[in-house]
């Protein structure tokens, strides 16, 4: 039995829905076009792979992760529409206080 290949974006969405944010960020950081979300997603990737380096730069790794999560949700909302099933990690609200449904 063979299954159809999944796109990178759908794999990222699946990782997010399962709470595997480190895998979602890692895969999303390899996208060719991150546009305005590039810095936040790449900082989040660094926060997962080398948090001490971000600390030396004066960037809080946990804040970078949360900003990357929010940027990834916004980017994928543009691709897939409403992401109601994706956990936000903040009681249903993004780190900036915006409801996920309003992106």
């Amino acid at each position: 039995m063979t299954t159809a290949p999944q796109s990178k974006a759908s794999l990222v969405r699946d990782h997010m829905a399962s709470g595997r944010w480190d895998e979602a960020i890692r895969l999303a950081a390899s996208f060719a076009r991150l546009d305005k979300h590039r810095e936040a997603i790449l900082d989040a990737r660094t926060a997962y792979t080398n948090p001490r380096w971000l600390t030396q730069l004066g960037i809080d790794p946990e804040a970078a992760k949360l900003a990357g999560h929010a940027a990834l949700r916004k980017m994928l909302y543009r691709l897939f529409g409403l992401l109601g099933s994706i956990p936000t990690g903040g009681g249903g609200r993004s780190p900036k206080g915006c409801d996920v449904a309003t992106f």
Side-chain angles (χ1 to χ4, degrees):
M1 179 173 155
T2 60
T3 59
Q6 286 186 295
S7 68
K8 278 187 181 181
S10 65
L11 287 172
V12 168
R13 184 178 57 179
D14 292 346
H15 287 314
M16 291 168 63
S18 298
R20 295 186 308 266
W21 285 98
D22 56 334
E23 290 295 317
I25 292 288
R26 181 191 57 80
L27 190 56
S30 71
F31 289 177
R33 292 193 55 190
L34 296 175
D35 299 327
K36 64 184 179 182
H37 307 292
R38 178 180 174 78
E39 184 177 337
I41 290 172
L42 293 181
D43 281 352
R45 179 176 175 237
T46 303
Y48 281 110
T49 59
N50 197 353
R52 291 187 326 179
W53 188 64
L54 281 184
T55 302
Q56 290 175 351
L57 295 175
I59 300 171
D60 177 25
E62 291 305 313
K65 289 176 186 179
L66 291 176
H69 298 178
L72 193 53
R73 282 192 302 274
K74 289 177 184 178
M75 187 179 81
L76 289 184
Y77 175 77
R78 205 172 25 121
L79 294 173
F80 293 111
L82 184 62
L83 294 172
S85 65
I86 304 299
T88 62
R93 303 184 72 75
S94 73
K96 295 193 182 226
C98 299
D99 197 307
V100 173
T102 62
F103 289 146

